[in-house]
Amino acid sequence: MPMTDLNRLFAHRLSRHIGFLLKYLRLVFTDHFVIALFFFCGALGYAYQSGLKTLINGVWWGPALTLFVLTLTSQLGRLATLIEPADTVFLLPAETKMHAYLRHARNYSFLMGSLMQGAVWLVLLPFLAQGDQLSFTAALLILISQLLVKFSVINGHVRQAMLQTRQRRVQQLLWSWGVPVVTFTVALWVTPWLGLVLAVVSAGWSQYQLGQHWQKGQLAWHQLVNDEAARMMTLYRFFNLFTDVPQLASQVHRRRYLDPVWRLMSGKSRNPYRLLFTRGLGRDGDAFGLVIRLTVIGMLLLVFIHNQWLSLLIMLLAVYLIGFQLLPFYRQYEGNVFTHLYPISVQSRLQAFRHVLTIILTGTALALVVVDVVVNWSWQRLGIDSLALALELVIFIGWYSQLRLKKMAS
Amino acid sequence: MSIEIEHLVGGYSQVPVLKDVNFSVADGEVVGLIGLNGAGKSTTINHIIGLLTPQRGHIRVGGVELINDAQAYKQQIAYIPEMPVLYDELTLEETLTLTMMAYGLDEQATWKRAHELLKKFRLDNKLNWFPANFSKGMKQKVMIVNAFMTEAPVFIIDEPFLGLDPVAVHDLLTLIEDAKSRGASVLMSTHVLANAEKYCDRFVLLHDGQVRVAGTLPELQAAFPEAGDSLEDIYLTLANGERDAND
């Protein structure tokens, strides 16, 4: 592809981006999730409908709520430039032609933004009629204003992409939030027609500003790259709630105050992998978060659940889930050449991992048992809890983990 | 002989990159591994440190083959990779401790040496930081400290000069000389021919997975009398000759 054909470059990237989105959306909207969502939306819709029935004559807070929702909605859908870090090198010579690329980016972002505006408007429509007592014409005028406001806001973002038109952060925020607030305030409290006029003026003004500059603008490359990376990161984080996103490298946290804990955990042993695995598990965002999250959730559940056998099941499950999900960490350092270079046997690596696993799981089990017996004190409960968890630890660490780790090691 | 490579055939897949490579590094000797990009330098090094298994031939370090006694083999090698490799979750102090534990070194004596090296490379106030977040040059210095505090008998150094400031380059060369005078064997791959010429006792010129020529500078000069005196002249003559031959 010739580098200067920036129209095609954006189209190419967009198809790749949409492919990415589709791939992950398929993973998010699994059968079970869709069914759950179906019921959730149904319940929500029912509640909305019942709520609306009480607003036959409109309510004084109707316009205020509408203003709030519309203003927030106007911020949905950011400018998706699909700019990549390498562009600062490879597209720099084509900087003067980048407006063609940016125009596509703007149009795509506007389209996506418009869809969201339309969707929210549709949901809001019954409320506009009942809560705000607006006519359909007025509601339609508000929809058109919404789209024009979105156009102004997106143009405001594009404006930030050029050195000549960049504004200070405060001005930028004022534009992004000020235009919707003023437009919708006028539309809801004065008349939708005047709101529409304001929206037309702001959209026209933002477009005129761009037209003045973006033919000869110099791009704020670093800003563009950072913003796009931040936008993608938000997407990754969202998808990461449902599935594993490899682009989302886990963060490492220093947590200096926990250093004594790691020293205690690795003990006096001369096995280097004890040092590596304690620090690794303790400072890796994913692994540490997993242990803490599941332990805390388990403890909270135990506070509210008093049925002895259900509590026991929760404790066993929490310990199993933590242990099971920590096992792959054994392979965390396979990619590091020094792991293979050290004159250390695989046996001592396995041993060190199981040592660390034992401490973590025992700690979790102790915390859970303590909560359970503090909430529902009895000798019998303490005895059964301790026995069951000790048995689980012995089976999991002594037998199951060994089986799995050996498979991983080979 | 500390490193002996005999009839080494190997590479990353079935298609061998190295075709019958032979050379050795004696105790107290610095050997420069020289060659164009893709000549097989890194592949050779990966074979020596045990990341790749030879398809044919033998590699002995201190008389030991990897397949016979992996622990004794690896125990002798200190390695500085071309790109710094660090554990993301370890501080500088822990990184060095890990190496000491892995090689079973006496921690008190080794820390003493490590502190001297850290001071030399101006890293002594960064012990509690994550080296994974350092700049390229500083990471490289960490790798140098990590390797040279061990006083290993064999050093494998892959293109060590990239990203180092001139002071650090000088310090590194001094360290290599010290190791050599202690009797260690050093195999160093590099493109910085001026440094190689000054500090290496012998040279192995790899080309297309084979040893094109090996020997001391006078031996190379004798082998290519028309090429010129410096290592760079000889190397360029060789490289250009190969290119013309291939055209």
Side-chain angles (χ1 to χ4, degrees):
Chain A
M1 184 189 341
M3 190 180 68
T4 46
D5 194 353
L6 295 171
N7 293 319
R8 276 179 55 198
L9 179 65
F10 186 80
H12 177 73
R13 283 188 181 174
L14 185 58
S15 73
R16 208 175 49 190
H17 182 64
I18 288 175
F20 161 83
L21 291 178
L22 286 180
K23 180 180 139 199
Y24 278 102
L25 283 176
R26 257 201 305 276
L27 294 170
V28 172
F29 290 100
T30 53
D31 294 351
H32 296 101
F33 186 70
V34 169
I35 291 171
L37 205 66
F38 193 72
F39 278 101
F40 183 69
C41 288
L44 222 59
Y46 182 74
Y48 185 39
Q49 193 199 16
S50 334
L52 278 176
K53 277 187 188 145
T54 63
L55 310 176
I56 311 255
N57 297 318
V59 275
W60 62 267
W61 47 264
L65 180 68
T66 312
L67 172 67
F68 181 72
V69 171
L70 289 182
T71 306
L72 277 189
T73 308
S74 70
Q75 306 301 314
L76 284 181
R78 289 200 257 173
L79 175 66
T81 57
L82 307 182
I83 292 264
E84 294 168 17
D87 292 346
T88 53
V89 176
F90 290 96
L91 293 186
L92 192 60
E95 193 172 31
T96 51
K97 301 194 185 79
M98 279 299 280
H99 73 277
Y101 179 97
L102 278 182
R103 196 195 303 269
H104 282 290
R106 195 272 313 269
N107 292 347
Y108 165 71
S109 310
F110 176 55
L111 179 71
M112 296 311 277
S114 301
L115 290 178
M116 291 185 232
Q117 301 298 319
V120 172
W121 179 79
L122 262 182
V123 173
L124 205 60
L125 196 54
F127 185 81
L128 290 180
Q130 298 273 47
D132 296 341
Q133 299 284 307
L134 289 178
S135 67
F136 186 70
T137 318
L140 213 56
L141 290 179
I142 284 187
L143 174 65
I144 299 170
S145 308
Q146 268 182 282
L147 299 182
L148 287 167
V149 164
K150 186 70 215 171
F151 186 74
S152 318
V153 171
I154 292 253
N155 270 350
H157 289 306
V158 179
R159 196 177 160 164
Q160 291 301 96
M162 267 170 290
L163 292 177
Q164 279 81 355
T165 52
R166 273 181 70 75
Q167 296 184 305
R168 272 183 289 144
R169 184 108 187 95
V170 185
Q171 286 173 303
Q172 157 70 7
L173 281 177
L174 220 58
W175 177 260
S176 291
W177 292 89
V179 168
V181 167
V182 172
T183 306
F184 297 132
T185 303
V186 169
L188 290 165
W189 274 281
V190 186
T191 152
W193 287 102
L194 194 55
L196 181 66
V197 170
L198 283 178
V200 168
V201 169
S202 70
W205 167 252
S206 69
Q207 184 60 22
Y208 170 76
Q209 276 291 323
L210 279 185
Q212 290 289 314
H213 290 285
W214 74 353
Q215 299 281 349
K216 51 185 188 296
Q218 278 160 312
L219 297 184
W221 285 102
H222 285 288
Q223 189 67 41
L224 277 170
V225 168
N226 290 343
D227 286 352
E228 183 62 13
R231 194 184 71 86
M232 289 306 288
M233 200 45 90
T234 321
L235 275 180
Y236 293 150
R237 280 217 195 89
F238 171 72
F239 288 136
N240 201 43
L241 294 175
F242 302 90
T243 179
D244 212 30
V245 181
Q247 285 92 337
L248 201 68
S250 76
Q251 299 268 316
V252 175
H253 302 280
R254 178 70 179 89
R255 298 197 184 98
R256 190 187 283 258
Y257 55 93
L258 289 179
D259 279 2
V261 178
W262 315 142
R263 267 197 290 277
L264 208 66
M265 273 173 78
S266 50
K268 290 235 176 299
S269 164
R270 302 282 300 151
N271 187 335
Y273 284 104
R274 274 205 198 178
L275 186 145
L276 187 56
F277 283 133
T278 47
R279 272 65 169 186
L281 284 165
R283 290 177 187 152
D284 180 88
D286 284 347
F288 186 83
L290 174 85
V291 175
I292 297 296
R293 243 189 338 262
L294 276 177
T295 310
V296 169
I297 290 175
M299 284 158 71
L300 282 178
L301 283 176
L302 291 177
V303 171
F304 295 108
I305 292 172
H306 299 286
N307 181 301
Q308 179 169 4
W309 303 110
L310 193 58
S311 295
L312 185 62
L313 190 71
I314 287 170
M315 288 191 275
L316 293 173
L317 202 64
V319 170
Y320 170 75
L321 282 177
I322 292 175
F324 180 77
Q325 293 191 68
L326 285 185
L327 286 179
F329 199 86
Y330 177 72
R331 302 194 52 147
Q332 177 88 348
Y333 303 107
E334 290 286 296
N336 188 311
V337 49
F338 285 96
T339 306
H340 305 280
L341 217 62
Y342 290 144
I344 302 289
S345 65
V346 175
Q347 204 52 44
S348 31
R349 188 166 11 145
L350 276 168
Q351 220 173 19
F353 190 74
R354 283 184 42 225
H355 171 85
V356 177
L357 199 64
T358 308
I359 295 181
I360 293 175
L361 293 186
T362 311
T364 303
L366 274 177
L368 292 172
V369 170
V370 165
V371 171
D372 191 48
V373 295
V374 163
V375 175
N376 308 283
W377 167 251
S378 86
W379 281 109
Q380 182 229 17
R381 198 155 180 153
L382 176 65
I384 291 180
D385 283 0
S386 315
L387 202 72
L389 281 163
L391 203 66
E392 184 187 27
L393 289 178
V394 168
I395 293 175
F396 187 89
I397 297 164
W399 174 73
Y400 182 71
S401 75
Q402 234 169 336
L403 200 77
R404 286 281 313 274
L405 291 176
K406 280 221 177 93
K407 211 174 268 174
M408 282 187 210
S410 60
Chain B
M1 285 293 168
S2 266
I3 307 175
E4 294 162 274
I5 299 179
E6 288 171 6
H7 304 295
L8 174 63
V9 177
Y12 302 90
S13 61
Q14 286 304 100
V15 187
V17 176
L18 303 177
K19 307 151 193 163
D20 196 37
V21 167
N22 294 282
F23 68 88
S24 63
V25 185
D27 291 339
E29 190 181 38
V30 181
V31 169
L33 193 58
I34 316 280
L36 298 175
N37 299 130
K41 301 187 299 293
S42 291
T43 312
T44 307
I45 285 176
N46 282 337
H47 271 289
I48 299 174
I49 62 176
L51 288 189
L52 296 173
T53 315
Q55 291 168 15
R56 260 183 290 139
H58 299 279
I59 303 171
R60 275 186 286 275
V61 173
V64 184
E65 271 195 79
L66 182 67
I67 197 160
N68 295 332
D69 189 346
Q71 197 150 338
Y73 182 95
K74 291 179 174 178
Q75 185 77 41
Q76 307 171 68
I77 298 175
Y79 170 58
I80 301 181
E82 182 178 5
M83 294 296 284
V85 179
L86 291 152
Y87 291 103
D88 289 343
E89 300 96 347
L90 295 190
T91 63
L92 176 53
E93 183 175 8
E94 288 160 352
T95 304
L96 299 180
T97 308
L98 185 74
T99 302
M100 292 177 201
M101 284 179 167
Y103 286 90
L105 303 171
D106 174 57
E107 285 199 28
Q108 247 184 338
T110 314
W111 265 117
K112 199 167 155 277
R113 260 198 312 281
H115 279 302
E116 286 165 16
L117 290 169
L118 288 169
K119 217 176 169 71
K120 191 190 284 251
F121 288 106
R122 288 176 294 126
L123 288 169
D124 48 334
N125 56 353
K126 303 226 159 30
L127 277 170
N128 273 315
W129 297 37
F130 287 139
N133 301 336
F134 287 177
S135 72
K136 161 77 171 71
M138 273 165 68
K139 283 186 197 170
Q140 186 71 1
K141 289 176 181 177
V142 173
M143 303 313 293
I144 293 170
V145 173
N146 192 49
F148 278 94
M149 70 178 188
T150 62
E151 299 203 318
V154 173
F155 285 85
I156 310 286
I157 308 177
D158 197 355
E159 192 56 78
F161 303 112
L162 287 178
L164 285 186
D165 61 62
V167 179
V169 168
H170 173 82
D171 288 336
L172 170 62
L173 289 168
T174 318
L175 284 176
I176 292 176
E177 292 226 294
D178 291 349
K180 173 187 159 180
S181 62
R182 212 176 53 233
S185 319
V186 181
L187 180 68
M188 175 170 76
S189 106
T190 182
H191 293 296
V192 187
L193 298 177
N195 286 340
E197 180 173 342
K198 221 159 130 194
Y199 290 89
C200 294
D201 303 306
R202 286 194 303 122
F203 307 91
V204 173
L205 269 69
L206 273 184
H207 186 84
D208 201 15
Q210 282 171 314
V211 177
R212 186 71 179 71
V213 61
T216 60
L217 190 58
E219 283 168 356
L220 296 190
Q221 285 162 347
F224 299 93
E226 74 286 2
D229 278 344
S230 73
L231 181 61
E232 184 161 344
D233 291 334
I234 297 170
Y235 179 75
L236 287 176
T237 309
L238 257 173
N240 287 330
E242 299 286 351
R243 193 169 54 190
D244 295 343
N246 287 339
D247 285 346

